[in-house]
Amino acid sequence: MADKVYANAAAALEGLTVDGITVMAGGFGLCGIPEKLIAALRDSGAKDLTCISNNAGVDDFGLGLLLRTRQIKKMISSYVGENKEFERQYLGGELELEFNPQGTLAERCRAGGAGIPGFYTKTGVGTLVAEGKEHKEFGGETYILETGLVADVALVKAWKADPYGNLVYRKTAQNFNSVMATAGKVTIAEVEELVGPGELDPDRIDTPGIFVQRLIVGQGYEKRIEQRTVREAA
Amino acid sequence: MADKVYANAAAALEGLTVDGITVMAGGFGLCGIPEKLIAALRDSGAKDLTCISNNAGVDDFGLGLLLRTRQIKKMISSYVGENKEFERQYLGGELELEFNPQGTLAERCRAGGAGIPGFYTKTGVGTLVAEGKEHKEFGGETYILETGLVADVALVKAWKADPYGNLVYRKTAQNFNSVMATAGKVTIAEVEELVGPGELDPDRIDTPGIFVQRLIVGQGYEKRIEQRTVREAA
Amino acid sequence: MPWTRDQMAERAAKELQDGFYVNLGIGMPTLVANHIGEDIDVTLQSENGMLGMGPFPTEDEVDADLINAGKQTITELKRTSYFSSADSFGMIRGGHIDLSVLGAMEVAENGDIANWMIPGKMVKGMGGAMDLVAGVKRIIVLMDHTNKAGESKFLKACSLPLTGKNVVDMIVSDLGVFRRLDHDSPFQLIELAPGVTEEEVRSKTEAHYEVAL
Amino acid sequence: MPWTRDQMAERAAKELQDGFYVNLGIGMPTLVANHIGEDIDVTLQSENGMLGMGPFPTEDEVDADLINAGKQTITELKRTSYFSSADSFGMIRGGHIDLSVLGAMEVAENGDIANWMIPGKMVKGMGGAMDLVAGVKRIIVLMDHTNKAGESKFLKACSLPLTGKNVVDMIVSDLGVFRRLDHDSPFQLIELAPGVTEEEVRSKTEAHYEVAL
């Protein structure tokens, strides 16, 4: 089998970091973001990127790194609240932005990966989101047409992988990762641990290896927390 | 919490077995079929049923039981090859039949459960399946509109459950079960084993408990095999 | 005296029923979790991919892989399951969540809600709010009755861009509770905060409503 | 001498490449699995919800919960993953499977295929065949060149209801191999079974094709 495991993030991106490509990046806030691959994409210098990601990172972490270096031309996101540089570029007209409702964004990625070019949803009917979109009635209710999304490269973060590219995620760090893994023409996964063949329970695999073309093991995960909220121990 | 665990299949069906309802039944062939619930549905005497199921069982097992007693008015399936009584009723005009491509059937159930009333697919374009359906171009290719499916009652078979209705399936016995579990107005699961709270790994749950309203533990699973194919031990 | 934020949350919590699956919005609605009756069993969903959300962690329990939709660290319970964002919003859009409690900038008498953008100001995005109001069976809005300028937030028509059209079922404000029976019916004022008068509510409300105290 | 079924399967297996994900149809196509080169690594998908299909089980290994799309008992491998029917066909429809080998009743010179129903006879259903021909990147048909009456199965136009329109990329029959470069190009006869002549193929083929032996 063509070996899916690459030495590091830069090697895994080789040949793919062309200006103007569309990149999906998993994660919710800073939870489960492909932090090594994003840093390597920044280092690659690829620019005019369209980034599909639920959020845009913070100023010095996650996709914020690519904003600082002006490598992103357009974002497709549901919420971008934590990023001053984003705000500055957007208000200055330097950055295009397309807001999608979070569930619509997730479903568009899932649809793209599953060969569904369009689907109808109630979400956003009667709002700005519905403007210019086809409306259709089903059972007396109005729905709008949303389209599937695919990316030239999808970057995802998982917990463990085996050499076949099978991935498992951990807790809420799954979020958009498993969906986006299906929607990349090339999907690159970074994981905390590479296990041997047969060590993952075949009934518990979140992303079957068919979706993963390249794979790296990341070192020293930062896993930054945005809102550390604690209670007193009893 | 309202207790989801019922004493047996008949008790779990109580109040639901109204003539003319639409019932989804999981399984592929005879693998992973809700055998106890189907038998109890037969015993309930409910008739004029519309059954959504990939297959129609065999003459004396699975949905074949409901065909023998003429309780099914219409089947929505992808393949019904293993059933003489089915053939007799269908050729005699006693049974309505709607064939869906298997992937379209699975996606229609998933869509119904996920609040998607319609989606576009390439599958079936240019065939009998496309007749009367809306055609639409996306990116220069033609797709047809398929609609979401929901059922009054979804019957599914899982391997294990906890008291919250969280389900896990085993190997290829998952098939349509996890999809249909999302698309029942009432979903009833039968399982081989009920485990205690917290005994299922929260990262490995296939069907979150929100989708399961009622639950039984089945006894003495028959698990019939249609094509026992073996090789010589080395 | 108008209700405090905590009292508003307590009042909203009374709408939760045994066995309900509930999504609580970011901000004031999260306070509702502190007031869930001990005699009922409620499961909280977090739209980033979790059903069965537990309390905040102790310092030792903090786990960067375990956050809620407000990006706060949380804990799991014995009932917890995790899933993808697509499956999470399938749950929401498919009508499987019984109730959602959300904040709002404006609610209109026809059930419209605006809570995601103010033209001319930096827009952070709608996140999951549009999906929640479109998909969840029952929507309760928890909001101050008036804005900082003292103007009604319960209006004849929303002036801000909508999050959803004709989706709100109940409003719990600091002054009282409005409810409607279905999406074709008008809102009714059904309850007043202690010491608040019907006249005070009327003077601070632009929307038309019926009184059913 | 025309190829045997096993030789046809062997020929089709030559189209498999290292790293391919492949779905083999029910019947003759399953024989292809016996001829996968030892120097290449191929992963078989079964559309009932499995990636990484192993060989038939020994008597001791038989497991009713582990079957393939032909409902035959099978085994798992170290690479195996299981998933739902919706996810399985997402994989297929989404173009993630590299190659599918299927049987057919008829193939037309424009790439149409018919393999699921004969009007007037009992119809069992299309199962996953329509999804496979629509979604998989490359479709190889494995079929006898003629039917029992000796009539060509590679036709100017299909007479039976279609399974898919303009989807077939290659035909391996007992007489030889036809291929086309893309879905706008004509089929070319590129190979003959040993001892079979171009004339014999022509006399037994209704479809128009080019010769590129």
Side-chain angles (χ1 to χ4, degrees):
Chain A
M1 188 176 61
D3 195 357
K4 294 185 175 184
V5 183
Y6 285 67
N8 54 53
L13 280 167
E14 214 170 283
L16 302 172
T17 54
V18 179
D19 291 353
I21 59 170
T22 296
V23 177
M24 284 184 184
F28 178 90
L30 299 179
C31 180
I33 62 170
E35 53 177 90
K36 312 298 174 198
L37 290 164
I38 290 171
L41 181 58
R42 188 252 334 256
D43 295 343
S44 81
K47 56 182 194 298
D48 293 329
L49 304 174
T50 295
C51 284
I52 303 171
S53 177
N54 189 56
N55 312 92
V58 293
D59 279 311
D60 61 342
F61 197 53
L63 291 181
L65 298 177
L66 292 165
L67 286 164
R68 251 154 72 154
T69 49
R70 315 276 179 101
Q71 287 169 264
I72 299 179
K73 185 183 72 179
K74 179 178 179 181
M75 289 284 318
I76 302 179
S77 300
S78 90
Y79 192 83
V80 295
E82 328 294 353
N83 198 310
K84 290 269 171 250
E85 177 62 17
F86 187 102
E87 188 166 339
R88 203 197 55 67
Q89 288 182 29
Y90 177 62
L91 294 177
E94 298 166 39
L95 184 68
E96 291 171 58
L97 176 57
E98 177 187 321
F99 277 128
N100 283 190
Q102 193 175 148
T104 296
L105 182 62
E107 190 66 15
R108 292 183 72 191
C109 297
R110 192 237 169 229
I116 307 275
F119 61 90
Y120 291 93
T121 176
K122 263 188 306 202
T123 300
V125 171
T127 76
L128 289 178
V129 161
E131 285 182 10
K133 288 177 186 157
E134 185 194 313
H135 287 58
K136 198 178 185 77
E137 303 247 318
F138 291 88
E141 269 202 271
T142 302
Y143 297 79
I144 53 173
L145 178 64
E146 297 281 1
T147 55
L149 286 172
V150 291
D152 296 302
V153 180
L155 307 180
V156 304
K157 158 74 173 59
W159 182 32
K160 294 182 185 181
D162 68 17
Y164 306 105
N166 292 311
L167 306 180
V168 299
Y169 304 92
R170 189 168 170 275
K171 303 187 189 286
T172 56
Q174 176 173 178
N175 54 63
F176 280 83
N177 285 296
S178 56
V179 187
M180 289 179 171
T182 70
K185 287 177 200 161
V186 177
T187 292
I188 312 176
E190 60 175 84
V191 301
E192 294 176 52
E193 191 186 345
L194 181 68
V195 304
E199 287 185 41
L200 297 178
D201 175 358
D203 267 324
R204 190 254 183 267
I205 289 167
D206 297 307
T207 296
I210 193 171
F211 295 114
V212 178
Q213 283 72 47
R214 304 182 184 192
L215 189 61
I216 61 156
V217 182
Q219 306 294 334
Y221 271 93
E222 188 171 344
K223 288 197 184 182
R224 221 182 275 187
I225 292 173
E226 283 179 86
Q227 306 282 340
R228 176 181 290 264
T229 319
V230 296
R231 64 184 157 88
E232 295 294 310
Chain B
M1 188 176 62
D3 196 356
K4 293 185 175 183
V5 184
Y6 285 66
N8 54 53
L13 281 167
E14 214 171 284
L16 302 172
T17 54
V18 179
D19 292 351
I21 59 170
T22 296
V23 177
M24 283 182 185
F28 178 89
L30 299 179
C31 179
I33 62 170
E35 53 176 90
K36 311 298 174 197
L37 289 164
I38 289 171
L41 182 58
R42 190 254 329 259
D43 295 343
S44 81
K47 55 183 195 297
D48 293 330
L49 303 174
T50 294
C51 284
I52 303 171
S53 178
N54 190 56
N55 312 91
V58 291
D59 280 310
D60 61 341
F61 197 53
L63 291 180
L65 298 176
L66 292 165
L67 286 164
R68 253 155 70 152
T69 49
R70 315 275 179 100
Q71 286 170 267
I72 300 179
K73 187 182 70 178
K74 180 179 179 180
M75 290 284 316
I76 300 178
S77 300
S78 90
Y79 192 82
V80 297
E82 328 293 353
N83 198 308
K84 290 270 171 249
E85 177 62 16
F86 187 101
E87 189 165 339
R88 204 197 55 67
Q89 289 182 30
Y90 177 62
L91 293 177
E94 297 166 40
L95 183 68
E96 290 172 58
L97 175 58
E98 177 186 321
F99 277 127
N100 282 192
Q102 194 175 147
T104 296
L105 183 63
E107 189 66 15
R108 293 183 72 192
C109 297
R110 192 239 169 225
I116 308 276
F119 61 90
Y120 290 93
T121 176
K122 263 188 304 200
T123 301
V125 170
T127 76
L128 289 176
V129 161
E131 285 183 9
K133 288 177 185 158
E134 185 192 313
H135 288 57
K136 199 178 185 76
E137 301 248 321
F138 291 87
E141 270 202 89
T142 302
Y143 296 80
I144 53 174
L145 178 63
E146 297 280 0
T147 55
L149 286 172
V150 292
D152 296 302
V153 180
L155 307 179
V156 303
K157 157 73 173 58
W159 181 33
K160 295 182 185 181
D162 69 16
Y164 306 105
N166 292 312
L167 306 180
V168 298
Y169 304 91
R170 188 169 171 274
K171 305 188 188 283
T172 57
Q174 175 173 180
N175 54 64
F176 280 83
N177 284 295
S178 56
V179 187
M180 290 181 170
T182 69
K185 288 178 199 160
V186 178
T187 292
I188 313 177
E190 60 175 85
V191 300
E192 295 176 52
E193 191 185 347
L194 181 68
V195 303
E199 287 185 41
L200 297 179
D201 175 357
D203 265 325
R204 190 256 184 264
I205 289 168
D206 298 306
T207 296
I210 191 171
F211 295 113
V212 178
Q213 283 72 48
R214 303 181 184 192
L215 189 60
I216 60 157
V217 182
Q219 305 295 336
Y221 272 93
E222 189 171 342
K223 289 197 184 180
R224 220 183 275 188
I225 293 174
E226 283 179 87
Q227 306 281 341
R228 176 182 289 264
T229 318
V230 297
R231 65 183 156 89
E232 294 296 309
Chain C
M1 214 170 63
W3 282 321
T4 62
R5 288 162 58 90
D6 221 47
Q7 287 168 326
M8 288 164 65
E10 189 178 356
R11 175 58 189 85
K14 289 195 178 136
E15 299 299 315
L16 275 49
Q17 294 175 27
D18 189 42
F20 263 25
Y21 294 90
V22 174
N23 183 298
L24 300 176
I26 296 166
M28 197 178 356
T30 59
L31 297 176
V32 171
N34 303 331
H35 299 283
I36 299 173
E38 301 220 336
D39 52 330
I40 64 168
D41 185 278
V42 167
T43 304
L44 298 179
Q45 201 247 19
S46 189
E47 66 264 29
N48 53 321
M50 181 184 199
L51 189 68
M53 188 164 62
F56 295 132
T58 60
E59 197 61 60
D60 290 349
E61 292 169 337
V62 167
D63 183 338
D65 289 339
L66 182 42
I67 65 169
N68 65 16
K71 290 153 195 161
Q72 296 170 311
T73 45
I74 45 159
T75 55
E76 68 186 26
L77 302 169
K78 286 190 175 176
R79 72 184 58 189
T80 299
S81 57
Y82 300 104
F83 33 81
S84 73
S85 297
D87 286 348
S88 183
F89 283 94
M91 221 173 255
I92 289 167
R93 198 188 309 103
H96 302 281
I97 309 281
D98 296 292
L99 181 73
S100 186
V101 184
L102 299 169
M105 300 168 182
E106 298 178 346
V107 175
E109 62 187 42
N110 64 359
D112 291 357
I113 178 174
N115 70 354
W116 78 283
M117 79 176 280
I118 300 174
K121 290 208 181 175
M122 177 62 196
V123 179
K124 294 186 171 188
M126 69 290 280
M130 285 191 183
D131 308 280
L132 286 164
V133 299
V136 171
K137 284 184 198 152
R138 191 155 178 259
I139 300 294
I140 298 181
V141 166
L142 209 56
M143 66 175 187
D144 290 330
H145 207 91
T146 55
N147 63 19
K148 284 176 190 160
E151 297 158 342
S152 175
K153 294 174 69 175
F154 184 25
L155 302 167
K156 289 199 178 304
C158 290
S159 66
L160 297 171
L162 298 185
T163 307
K165 230 181 143 47
N166 191 9
V167 294
V168 177
D169 296 283
M170 179 179 264
I171 302 164
V172 177
S173 83
D174 50 330
L175 300 186
V177 180
F178 299 86
R179 176 189 69 183
R180 58 181 184 158
L181 298 175
D182 56 51
H183 289 189
D184 297 321
S185 303
F187 280 93
Q188 298 181 317
L189 175 63
I190 59 164
E191 213 172 309
L192 294 168
V196 172
T197 63
E198 199 189 317
E199 290 66 36
E200 181 180 354
V201 171
R202 191 164 300 278
S203 73
K204 292 183 173 170
T205 308
E206 184 195 299
H208 167 80
Y209 59 86
E210 296 177 352
V211 177
L213 291 165
Chain D
M1 214 170 62
W3 281 322
T4 61
R5 288 161 60 90
D6 220 48
Q7 287 169 324
M8 288 164 65
E10 190 179 353
R11 176 61 190 84
K14 289 196 179 136
E15 300 298 314
L16 275 49
Q17 294 174 26
D18 190 43
F20 263 24
Y21 294 91
V22 174
N23 183 298
L24 300 177
I26 296 167
M28 196 176 0
T30 58
L31 297 176
V32 172
N34 302 332
H35 298 283
I36 299 173
E38 301 221 336
D39 52 329
I40 64 168
D41 185 278
V42 166
T43 304
L44 299 179
Q45 201 248 19
S46 189
E47 65 262 30
N48 54 319
M50 180 184 199
L51 188 68
M53 188 165 62
F56 295 132
T58 61
E59 196 61 60
D60 289 350
E61 291 170 337
V62 167
D63 183 338
D65 289 339
L66 183 42
I67 65 170
N68 66 16
K71 289 150 195 162
Q72 297 170 310
T73 46
I74 45 159
T75 55
E76 68 186 26
L77 302 170
K78 287 190 174 175
R79 71 184 59 189
T80 299
S81 57
Y82 300 104
F83 33 81
S84 74
S85 297
D87 285 347
S88 183
F89 283 94
M91 221 172 256
I92 291 168
R93 199 190 307 102
H96 302 281
I97 309 281
D98 296 291
L99 181 71
S100 186
V101 184
L102 298 169
M105 300 168 184
E106 297 177 347
V107 175
E109 62 187 42
N110 63 359
D112 291 357
I113 178 173
N115 70 354
W116 77 284
M117 80 176 281
I118 300 175
K121 290 208 182 175
M122 177 62 196
V123 178
K124 294 186 171 190
M126 70 290 280
M130 285 191 183
D131 309 280
L132 286 165
V133 299
V136 172
K137 283 183 200 154
R138 187 151 180 261
I139 300 293
I140 298 181
V141 166
L142 209 55
M143 69 175 185
D144 291 330
H145 207 92
T146 54
N147 63 20
K148 285 176 191 161
E151 297 158 341
S152 175
K153 294 174 70 176
F154 184 24
L155 303 167
K156 290 200 178 304
C158 290
S159 65
L160 296 171
L162 298 185
T163 307
K165 232 181 142 45
N166 191 8
V167 294
V168 177
D169 297 284
M170 179 179 266
I171 303 165
V172 177
S173 82
D174 49 331
L175 301 187
V177 180
F178 300 86
R179 176 190 69 184
R180 57 182 185 157
L181 297 175
D182 57 51
H183 288 189
D184 298 320
S185 303
F187 279 94
Q188 298 182 316
L189 175 63
I190 58 163
E191 214 173 310
L192 293 169
V196 172
T197 63
E198 200 190 317
E199 290 64 38
E200 179 179 355
V201 171
R202 191 164 301 279
S203 71
K204 291 182 174 170
T205 307
E206 183 195 299
H208 168 80
Y209 59 88
E210 296 177 351
V211 178
L213 290 165

